[in-house]
Amino acid sequence: MQAPHGLSEQEVADAKAMFQKYDANGDGVLSREEFLPVVEALLEKNGSLERRGHKLSPAVVERMASIHFDEIDADKSGTIDIKEFLVLYAGMRRDVKQKIDQDNVAELQQTQVIRATDDATYEIHYLEAPLFKAKFGDALAAANAYHGGISLINKADASDVFELEFTADISVFGSLAPQVEVTATGPELVWQNQASAHIKKELTPNYWTKDAVVGSVTGAVANKYFDWVRQYNKDNGYYALWQLLASPSDAPFYSSHNCVDWVDQSFNTLKSLGATFDPVVRQRNYISLFTNEPTLVDYNDPATKAKIFEYFGTLKAAMAARPEDPVSALKFAEVLQQKFAQTGVYVYMRDKYYHLDLVAPLFHFGYM
């Protein structure tokens, strides 16, 4: 019998052992208090308790645990049973284990000597998996909502394979709203929008549901591309879910910077280095906010700062109340933005805050 959520039998056994270890009172469920050390243990196990050379503060770990608890408590019982825990374990085995400080990714990959065979020829594959697959399975495929990635497969040796993808270090939603952290000078907004690209010398089993050959590349060129990926992490370690534009036919004021944007940049880089691509039309997701030209605002101005805090407080409250239905998880942004159609919204783009006066159609999620 196939293990749940793409886990191996050994991983299921490991997950059950961890569950039992932290079920302090032995009642068969994890309370919020019991759940916190579980998340900390998983982060530590996967090398994710440190970012940019600093250990995550207890407050940040506690917020992460609270977010995960609310996401996987499917029956809203206020506790986590073993079935719900397996959802978390599967997701964190795949996602959290990759949440390594972006500043160390290049060094790690150099240490692992991830290199292609120079004189080999590799097929370039475009990969897709339903968005939030660890939580919702294949449900979001019906809404054409996908996570994108790349694989390179040696034409003469199928075991010589590389998988590449760009993922948010903590959460995709970390680019939508910040956390509030109390400092010596008062409360501040802290963003968890870090992201990084990853190169693996294997394909993730039972994950990708779409796989299309789009071109070919020599191993020598692939190695130049891998070097580009490592440098990319140093220069572009952030996640931006949506693009800002005035209308569907206009160029964006600011582009999104998510998994499929990274795939586009990867393909352009491979082509510039000498890879060849087939004349195929590749569909991808676009998430758009429609606005007049964004207005740069001064976060340090007390009145402006108060408005920014108020906006994100309201936004986060609405996000917390969003339905658990998988398709609704995609549409919540549309609902939220409609609430602010008259007053506008604030966004955080490349370390700066902007105010947006939204225009019709306000928000769009598409696959084209």
Side-chain angles (χ1 to χ4, degrees):
M1 189 174 85
Q2 185 178 10
H5 311 297
L7 293 171
S8 67
E9 291 184 4
Q10 183 59 53
E11 286 173 328
V12 171
D14 291 344
K16 289 182 177 179
M18 175 174 276
F19 184 92
Q20 292 171 357
K21 176 181 178 180
Y22 290 99
D23 178 15
N25 60 5
D27 62 355
V29 294
L30 298 177
S31 65
R32 285 188 181 272
E33 292 75 17
E34 293 170 328
F35 187 71
L36 175 59
V38 175
V39 172
E40 186 171 11
L42 282 170
L43 289 169
E44 185 172 16
K45 182 177 181 180
N46 292 301
S48 302
L49 268 180
E50 288 193 4
R51 301 190 189 282
R52 292 187 172 89
H54 299 283
K55 188 173 181 178
L56 294 179
S57 70
V60 170
V61 176
E62 186 174 351
R63 286 197 296 269
M64 292 175 66
S66 179
I67 290 170
H68 284 302
F69 191 99
D70 291 338
E71 285 181 344
I72 66 171
D73 182 17
D75 58 5
K76 301 306 176 188
S77 64
T79 58
I80 302 299
D81 62 27
I82 185 60
K83 290 183 179 179
E84 293 168 332
F85 181 71
L86 286 174
V87 174
L88 170 78
Y89 195 85
M92 294 191 82
R93 286 289 294 170
R94 170 176 168 72
D95 298 326
V96 176
K97 69 182 179 180
Q98 297 178 343
K99 292 167 185 174
I100 300 166
D101 178 12
Q102 64 203 40
D103 295 338
N104 295 330
V105 168
E107 180 182 349
L108 174 67
Q109 292 173 342
Q110 288 287 3
T111 302
Q112 293 178 330
V113 194
I114 295 180
R115 308 294 287 176
T117 305
D118 280 345
D119 58 356
T121 300
Y122 292 80
E123 290 181 336
I124 304 171
H125 293 239
Y126 176 55
L127 309 174
E128 287 185 328
L131 204 58
F132 309 132
K133 185 174 181 178
K135 179 174 177 60
F136 295 126
D138 294 339
L140 286 171
N144 285 325
Y146 295 102
H147 170 61
I150 299 170
S151 68
L152 305 180
I153 302 177
N154 189 327
K155 289 186 176 181
D157 178 7
S159 67
D160 183 12
V161 58
F162 302 88
E163 178 184 282
L164 303 98
E165 59 181 333
F166 184 78
T167 61
D169 285 352
I170 295 179
S171 168
V172 168
F173 298 109
S175 67
L176 299 184
Q179 302 294 331
V180 177
E181 192 162 291
V182 178
T183 70
T185 58
E188 294 292 343
L189 298 181
V190 178
W191 287 86
Q192 298 176 345
N193 62 337
Q194 297 81 17
S196 48
H198 309 274
I199 309 172
K200 294 199 304 180
K201 193 69 179 68
E202 61 180 349
L203 284 176
T204 302
N206 306 316
Y207 182 72
W208 304 104
T209 54
K210 290 188 176 184
D211 183 337
V213 179
V214 295
S216 63
V217 63
T218 65
V221 169
N223 286 325
K224 293 179 181 179
Y225 165 63
F226 294 163
D227 291 338
W228 172 85
V229 172
R230 295 168 184 131
Q231 185 61 43
Y232 190 93
N233 281 329
K234 293 183 177 181
D235 299 336
N236 302 278
Y238 69 96
Y239 202 94
L241 189 60
W242 48 41
Q243 61 179 348
L244 308 179
L245 64 169
S247 74
S249 61
D250 289 332
F253 295 117
Y254 288 95
S255 298
S256 53
H257 192 247
N258 54 43
C259 59
V260 287
D261 294 305
W262 179 82
V263 168
D264 285 347
Q265 293 186 55
S266 285
F267 285 170
N268 289 336
T269 298
L270 280 165
K271 188 174 182 179
S272 71
L273 291 171
T276 59
F277 282 83
D278 301 330
V280 296
V281 177
R282 180 177 63 85
Q283 291 184 298
R284 54 154 290 183
N285 289 121
Y286 291 91
I287 305 176
S288 306
L289 274 182
F290 296 96
T291 175
N292 291 321
E293 185 170 358
T295 302
L296 178 66
V297 299
D298 182 6
Y299 174 77
N300 294 315
D301 173 68
T304 301
K305 187 174 182 177
K307 292 179 181 178
I308 293 173
F309 266 76
E310 180 182 5
Y311 166 74
F312 283 115
T314 304
L315 181 66
K316 289 181 68 176
M319 288 171 63
R322 71 186 186 273
E324 283 296 315
D325 173 76
V327 176
S328 296
L330 285 180
K331 295 182 178 179
F332 80 93
E334 178 181 359
V335 175
L336 296 179
Q337 300 316 315
Q338 288 176 345
K339 293 179 63 174
F340 298 101
Q342 301 302 316
T343 59
V345 303
Y346 289 95
V347 295
Y348 183 72
M349 305 288 288
R350 299 186 180 182
D351 300 325
K352 296 179 180 179
Y353 286 92
Y354 295 85
H355 183 264
L356 309 181
D357 291 318
L358 299 178
V359 297
L362 302 182
F363 173 85
H364 181 256
F365 179 91
Y367 183 72
M368 61 190 75

